[in-house]
Amino acid sequence: MAYNILVTGGAGYIGSHTVLQLLLGGYNTVVVDNLDNASDIALERVKELAGDFGKNLVFHQVDLRDKPALENVFAETKFDAVIHFAGLKAVGESVQKPLLYFNNNLIGTITLLEVMAAHGCKQLVFSSSATVYGWPKEVPCTEEFPLSAANPYGRTKLFIEEICHDIYRSDSEWKIILLRYFNPVGAHPSGYIGEDPRGIPNNLMPYVQQVAVGRRPHLTVFGTDYSTKDGTGVRDYIHVVDLADGHIAALRKLSEANIGCEVYNLGTGKGTSVLEMVAAFEKASGKKIPLVMADRRPGDAETVYAATEKAERELSWKANYGVDEMCRDQWNWASKNPYGYGSPDCTN
Ligand code: NAD
Ligand code: UD1
């Protein structure tokens, strides 16, 4: 019998790509999303891409903090596991509006966990972030590194990781996988789904993409005096389809006995600088990206990339794509959808 998976935040960037891989893998998939940072067009496109499997997707526009509505979703379907993406993720906004972030991310998660427990669903995959490594003393970052948070967004990730450990300590029937994502970029190779940030993008590649399609005049490079190969920050960029597949690997792991509450990095293990990433994108797109060199962005680390051995060993998962494919697919999505899922008049 097919597994039933609940995906919170499944209309968003990583969620929509993961829902597609779930459907193609034969899972029945129910999405709850309040569409605060997503469009239902993404899920319509996922359905089309999934072909015959598209019929196995159900969507509820529900806010996780709306407990009665969430109860109804659990009353309708007996879930084998939950993949929990839903949350707010803009670092700068979290500094301006910490209560909004604590309310949405923490209360949303606690409500979800309460409803899961009440319905006997005790298998969870949670979206954590490499942000919990702060400015690491050395690289690659292993899962055992000390953790810290430089902003309220990062603190919600740390708190939720701790909450998950406590839940497992209190009740060993729970099986929880905390996935620490490095820097997801790119889009599905069809160019049909991709990242569609609202407002001015915070992250590098969505910004580069908007420069390439003429929506922004230039990229500001934050910091040129780091102790890195070319002075710019180094990150571990991972193709969003590889990341999505990491969730299928995590679900497979949940079916093993006694896994407890475990943490895995999802990255490639390779560091790429801002200038290297821009060069790869220029090559893939044939577009020149004008640059303005600027000071470091407060809170930014110099070099962050993942140790990948634990995920390779225990999840039998490894990223396949390199930066050239990430940029090719990012450009394919951007050139086909210069205004994301919207139209020029509804963006800024
Ligand atoms: P996203 O904003 O595209 O997706 C999140 C989805 O959650 C959105 O569709 C939004 O509408 C929904 N949502 C938010 N609050 C909700 C609530 N209270 N109830 C119901 N739905 C709600 O973001 P993403 O890039 O796909 O990220 C998914 C998860 O991965 C997030 O938890 C994020 O913090 C984490 N993460 C993302 C990155 C990244 O670079 N994209 C890196 C590390 C971790
Ligand atoms: C940022 C967040 C982090 C979050 C991650 C993924 C901060 C301080 N950190 O990390 O918490 O988990 O996104 O969502 O915001 N860059 C530019 N110009 C730009 C944008 C970025 O030069 O316009 C540089 C940055 O300085 C960095 C690199 O590009 O060196 C990657 O930046 P970004 O995509 O924002 O990711 P992170 O800094 O890793």
Side-chain angles (χ1 to χ4, degrees), residues 40-318:
D40 52 1
I41 299 172
L43 289 178
E44 285 167 23
R45 294 192 181 179
V46 164
K47 229 175 190 168
E48 280 179 47
L49 286 170
D52 285 349
F53 292 110
K55 65 178 185 316
N56 299 330
L57 172 63
V58 174
F59 172 53
H60 299 281
Q61 186 171 350
V62 162
D63 189 298
L64 279 188
R65 294 162 294 178
D66 181 349
K67 200 171 189 178
L70 197 58
E71 290 276 4
N72 286 340
V73 173
F74 275 79
E76 242 174 58
T77 308
K78 184 149 180 52
F79 294 110
D80 295 287
V82 175
I83 304 180
H84 176 32
F85 294 106
L88 297 174
K89 61 163 186 177
V91 170
E93 185 186 50
S94 82
V95 175
Q96 303 302 321
K97 301 177 184 169
L99 290 177
L100 176 70
Y101 274 66
F102 293 133
N103 186 313
N104 192 78
N105 294 5
L106 297 182
I107 296 180
T109 302
I110 292 167
T111 308
L112 172 69
L113 292 166
E114 285 172 349
V115 175
M116 286 176 70
H119 289 262
C121 173
K122 297 185 180 176
Q123 301 199 21
L124 176 75
V125 178
F126 171 64
S127 306
S128 189
S129 166
T131 195
V132 299
Y133 295 121
W135 182 314
K137 284 208 178 70
E138 52 179 331
V139 280
C141 301
T142 72
E143 286 82 353
E144 292 73 35
F145 271 23
L147 306 180
S148 65
N151 51 63
Y153 164 73
R155 249 179 297 285
T156 68
K157 295 296 178 197
L158 272 188
F159 290 161
I160 295 169
E161 285 202 5
E162 290 301 324
I163 288 170
C164 289
H165 287 297
D166 282 340
I167 286 177
Y168 171 67
R169 277 182 210 115
S170 76
D171 175 358
S172 61
E173 280 180 14
W174 279 88
K175 294 182 187 179
I176 303 178
I177 292 186
L178 308 171
L179 296 177
R180 293 185 185 145
Y181 311 152
F182 282 67
N183 292 59
V185 298
H188 189 265
S190 63
Y192 217 42
I193 54 172
E195 185 167 16
D196 182 19
R198 301 233 160 123
I200 301 171
N202 301 297
N203 297 119
L204 178 65
M205 291 315 283
Y207 206 103
V208 167
Q209 162 184 329
Q210 293 196 1
V211 175
V213 298
R215 288 172 62 180
R216 317 252 168 223
H218 60 259
L219 171 75
T220 305
V221 177
F222 296 137
T224 53
D225 60 348
Y226 288 113
S227 302
T228 58
K229 41 197 149 187
D230 56 25
T232 64
V234 167
R235 295 291 183 276
D236 186 339
Y237 297 94
I238 173 169
H239 196 296
V240 66
V241 174
D242 274 332
L243 191 70
D245 284 335
H247 295 75
I248 313 291
L251 284 182
R252 278 197 297 266
K253 181 79 182 170
L254 284 178
S255 63
E256 290 176 14
N258 304 323
I259 67 147
C261 179
E262 273 297 335
V263 186
Y264 297 97
N265 288 336
L266 293 185
T268 65
K270 295 185 185 72
T272 306
S273 74
V274 174
L275 295 182
E276 286 174 331
M277 211 55 194
V278 169
F281 189 86
E282 286 182 332
K283 192 172 119 208
S285 64
K287 298 277 175 187
K288 184 92 197 121
I289 305 296
L291 302 180
V292 170
M293 301 305 182
D295 288 343
R296 296 177 179 196
R297 181 172 64 177
D300 265 359
E302 181 167 276
T303 299
V304 186
Y305 57 87
T308 57
E309 290 75 13
K310 187 176 177 195
E312 283 171 30
R313 198 175 56 240
E314 296 183 19
L315 300 180
S316 306
W317 169 91
K318 192 178 185 319

